[in-house]
Amino acid sequence: MPSKEKVNILWFRNGLRLHDNQSLHKATTDKSRKLLPLFIFDGETPTTKHCKYNKMAFLLECLEDLDTQFWYHGGKLNLVEGDPVEVFRKISKHFVIDKVCFDQ
């Protein structure tokens, strides 16, 4: 059975930007770990709860911009829907999660 790849997860919750992002810095200090950028549509965070059209449109624009920035560096932003506990449980079936970094 092949060993699972070790990853550091950068979980975007509120701060949807890369510049001045301390969580990004923390997630990338160990270059031996793959970075797994992640946004979870859970309907419970202030970013996704009770979103009106304009706020949702802005959120989607921000996520698209983040994905483009990761694409320029050979990566991508992973977008998933669900309960964060279940999302991380599913990810852990495929990867060894070394660190989860996120903004408050």
Side-chain angles (χ1 to χ4, degrees), residues 1-7 92-96:
M1 176 178 204
S3 63
K4 297 189 279 187
E5 187 173 17
K6 294 179 181 177
V7 297
S92 69
K93 290 180 182 179
H94 303 280
F95 298 99
V96 173

Side-chain angles (χ1 to χ4, degrees), residues 59-77:
L59 171 63
L60 294 175
E61 285 178 28
C62 291
L63 294 173
E64 183 177 19
D65 182 58
L66 274 174
D67 187 47
T68 299
Q69 290 178 61
F70 281 115
W71 180 81
Y72 282 126
H73 296 283
K76 72 175 198 160
L77 177 63

